[in-house]
Amino acid sequence: MAGSGVFVLSVVVVGAAGIIWGIVALVRRQQYIKRLRDRGWTFVNSPTFDAVGRLGNPPFGMGFRRKPDDQITGLTSSGRAFQVIEYDSEYWSGWVGMVTLSRRLPELWITGGQTQPRSGVEATVMQTPAHLGQGWQVGALDPAFATAVMTPQLCERLTAMAAGQPGVNLSIDADQLVVLDPPRKDVELLGPWLEQLATAAAAIDATALDQWIQPEQPPRLTFYHHPEWYWIGVDDSLLQVTPVTRSGHDHSTSEVIRGRDGDGPPFVAFTHHWKTTRTETSTDSEGRTHTRTVVENHSEPILGFQLPARMPWIQVARRGFGRGISFESEAFNDQFAVTAQDTKFAYDVIHPRQMEYLMANPPASFRIADDWAWFAPGTHSHGVIAHSADVLRGFLARIPRFVWRNLGLADSPYPPLDPAPTRSSS
């Protein structure tokens, strides 16, 4: 009994400590919010996606799970709008601070100190300006733009920002100058930090960069280096027109994405969810029968590209146990199994150059049915969609002109592209 009493007392003590800690945390949070508001700043507990909708470079613009949280907004002493926000995705989680620039500009990446380049960034490493010194790295897609931006004035502002900080991870994202890991916990440090960031933005605004101004984009969630992709979220009408699993019940969609890359075919991609119900019967040791209902959850990725003409059914799959149509390349036959409604059509489409292309850039298995190409992507991810779009575009570009004419088109709708996509599909 004594042991039981000690256990109960321990539970009570732990529970009371938890309640006290929760009260202290709540009081501290309210005090923190009050200090923010005393500065004339605004605090939003649950901001909408609009808070980050115009941002498209990492850590934004990556993945499907994006969650903005606590948000601080206001103006610096020079009247420049700023935002400090907590952001979470499958690729990154933390706090981001930013101030507004006067123009929408191309992406630029600057890191210094104890910080690493951001995950997913595609940029060319540039020669670091002498004014920055050692320990800095600059990346950009346009070397001329990077050279124009990295003025001695901006380098001076960046050096000042790095003083006393473990590192600086800064980028230009359209009309925002974005920095990871602002000192948001201490309001007395956050204010001066934002003022320093504003001076860096002022240095960029003072530089002649009008030739690089980027066009305004629609106000929607975007994807890095895929400006024509856009987020829908839920669209259950797709269940009626896509090849989803029909069995089960409670069918629904999530993470619906639409878009296209360049002149490639438009796509739709989403996750399909459904449930199945089964009954299990068991007999206990006394011979009594028990029945229970088991509900199981299922999901599958769906990825389809709409084609400009109806085509005979053909499937290009990774080689498994079966063997499809035999082509002149044994290496291709060993890697792929092609089945088709029309064997001649298959030979017209899968010619030697097409076989070389597919072996060099192996796609997920796909089939063409009427005016859609449906992939078996395995996962619903940014990288898989991008890779499938690239490979399909190259596949369609290698279909001979006479095939397109036989399908009712005047010419091939997809001119050749160089260079060919890479193998990466992560």
Side-chain angles (χ1 to χ4, degrees):
M1 292 295 292
S4 299
V6 171
F7 175 77
V8 171
L9 179 60
S10 298
V11 171
V12 171
V13 170
V14 171
I19 293 172
I20 292 172
W21 182 89
I23 293 173
V24 169
L26 179 61
V27 170
R28 287 179 176 174
R29 180 175 174 84
Q30 293 306 314
Q31 291 174 339
Y32 175 75
I33 294 172
K34 183 179 184 302
R35 288 197 296 271
L36 295 174
R37 290 172 175 164
D38 287 346
R39 285 179 167 266
W41 299 347
T42 299
F43 179 85
V44 179
N45 185 56
S46 298
T48 66
F49 277 118
D50 292 342
V52 296
R54 65 180 181 275
L55 298 164
N57 297 338
F60 310 101
M62 298 288 291
F64 306 140
R65 181 176 60 81
R66 309 182 191 183
K67 184 176 183 292
D69 208 336
D70 291 354
Q71 178 197 42
I72 306 164
T73 60
L75 300 175
T76 65
S77 62
S78 60
R80 191 176 294 272
F82 74 81
Q83 174 180 211
V84 178
I85 191 166
E86 187 177 9
Y87 183 77
D88 180 71
S89 74
E90 56 260 58
Y91 293 92
W92 188 85
S93 179
W95 282 79
V96 188
M98 65 198 79
V99 295
T100 302
L101 299 168
S102 63
R103 296 159 291 189
R104 295 177 58 87
L105 297 171
E107 64 185 275
L108 180 75
W109 308 91
I110 306 170
T111 56
Q114 300 173 18
T115 186
Q116 297 295 321
R118 302 181 199 179
S119 173
V121 169
E122 300 174 15
T124 300
V125 177
M126 313 298 299
Q127 183 175 355
T128 304
H131 296 88
L132 271 184
Q134 298 296 318
W136 291 86
Q137 188 177 85
V138 178
L141 296 180
D142 186 340
F145 172 69
T147 300
V149 171
M150 299 303 298
T151 61
Q153 292 76 18
L154 178 59
C155 292
E156 179 184 344
R157 306 294 193 276
L158 293 172
T159 302
M161 284 192 68
Q165 299 288 332
V168 174
N169 193 319
L170 178 146
S171 69
I172 294 177
D173 191 339
D175 64 348
Q176 300 293 305
L177 187 61
V178 179
V179 184
L180 301 188
D181 304 317
R184 55 92 190 172
K185 291 184 178 179
D186 190 333
V187 177
E188 300 308 315
L189 292 178
L190 181 58
W193 183 87
L194 287 166
E195 296 296 331
Q196 284 187 318
L197 184 58
T199 64
I204 295 173
D205 283 349
T207 305
L209 301 171
D210 284 357
Q211 70 185 89
W212 286 286
I213 291 178
Q214 303 294 293
E216 188 70 29
Q217 298 297 320
R220 61 192 184 192
L221 283 181
T222 59
F223 292 82
Y224 182 55
H225 284 188
H226 299 281
E228 294 185 71
W229 293 20
Y230 58 98
W231 173 271
I232 294 175
V234 174
D235 182 0
D236 288 350
S237 68
L238 291 169
L239 300 173
Q240 308 303 318
V241 295
T242 56
V244 299
T245 299
R246 301 295 175 184
S247 59
H249 56 92
D250 290 352
H251 294 262
S252 64
T253 60
S254 71
E255 300 175 338
V256 179
I257 311 292
R258 284 189 178 273
R260 67 189 307 167
D261 282 326
D263 65 349
F267 73 83
V268 62
F270 60 94
T271 300
H272 167 223
H273 306 272
W274 74 100
K275 298 178 181 179
T276 55
T277 302
R278 57 187 172 84
T279 300
E280 288 187 350
T281 302
S282 60
T283 304
D284 63 21
S285 58
E286 298 181 2
R288 292 174 298 193
T289 301
H290 302 275
T291 301
R292 70 185 186 112
T293 299
V294 178
V295 177
E296 295 180 327
N297 295 303
H298 310 270
S299 66
E300 64 182 349
I302 302 294
L303 173 61
F305 295 82
Q306 189 166 21
L307 305 175
R310 295 172 66 88
M311 305 176 75
W313 188 92
I314 183 172
Q315 177 173 284
V316 179
R318 296 294 184 92
R319 176 72 184 277
F321 293 108
R323 186 178 181 90
I325 297 171
S326 181
F327 292 89
E328 60 189 64
S329 169
E330 284 304 317
F332 180 82
N333 293 334
D334 290 340
Q335 191 172 350
F336 295 95
V338 177
T339 52
Q341 175 185 359
D342 183 338
T343 303
K344 180 182 182 305
F345 178 76
Y347 283 126
D348 289 341
V349 170
I350 311 295
H351 49 77
R353 285 183 60 248
Q354 189 78 276
M355 287 185 271
E356 291 176 3
Y357 173 76
L358 291 172
M359 286 189 289
N361 303 274
S365 298
F366 69 93
R367 68 184 184 278
I368 292 174
D370 295 327
D371 57 346
W372 282 87
W374 297 104
F375 279 72
T379 60
H380 181 49
S381 75
H382 185 131
V384 168
I385 295 172
H387 180 69
S388 299
D390 279 346
V391 175
L392 180 63
R393 174 62 177 79
F395 175 86
L396 297 173
R398 288 167 174 78
I399 294 178
R401 289 181 175 178
F402 76 86
V403 174
W404 291 110
R405 290 169 182 158
N406 290 342
L407 295 172
L409 300 183
D411 202 348
S412 170
Y414 302 108
L417 286 178
D418 289 315
T422 64
R423 285 177 173 267
S424 173
S425 60
S426 59

